[in-house]
Amino acid sequence: RYGPAEKAALRYTSMLVWNPEGADEAVWSALREHFSEEQIVELGYFVALTYGQQRWIKTLGIGHGEVLDLTRAGLAP
């Protein structure tokens, strides 16, 4: 279903979110096979930003569609 590059990115994402200590040499090697250092940094930054936003929203107790609900700001129905 997913190609090798996507699997490497998903594994990296999983390590960033759930198990940072699990990012061993195998994770880094798989990433470097498919992505440049700049792309790895960009992916990590995007994951951290997105995960952080979601944790902050959950901490505030904001439900889906409660903010910007009068606009079409890209929120799914």
Side-chain angles (χ1 to χ4, degrees):
R1 181 174 188 165
Y2 297 105
E6 293 165 319
K7 287 180 181 178
L10 288 169
R11 187 169 178 206
Y12 177 50
T13 299
S14 180
M15 293 300 115
L16 290 173
V17 173
W18 302 113
N19 184 19
E21 294 83 19
D24 58 13
E25 189 53 42
V27 171
W28 295 112
S29 293
L31 283 169
R32 290 185 186 112
E33 285 180 32
H34 305 286
F35 303 102
S36 68
E37 290 295 319
E38 292 83 8
Q39 290 171 319
I40 294 169
V41 170
E42 186 175 349
L43 176 59
Y45 177 79
F46 179 77
V47 170
L49 179 65
T50 302
Y51 184 68
Q53 287 172 332
Q54 294 305 310
R55 298 303 302 161
W56 182 65
I57 288 168
K58 187 173 182 95
T59 299
L60 295 177
I62 297 171
H64 183 73
E66 289 181 2
V67 177
L68 301 174
D69 60 349
L70 300 176
T71 68
R72 297 189 53 85
L75 298 174

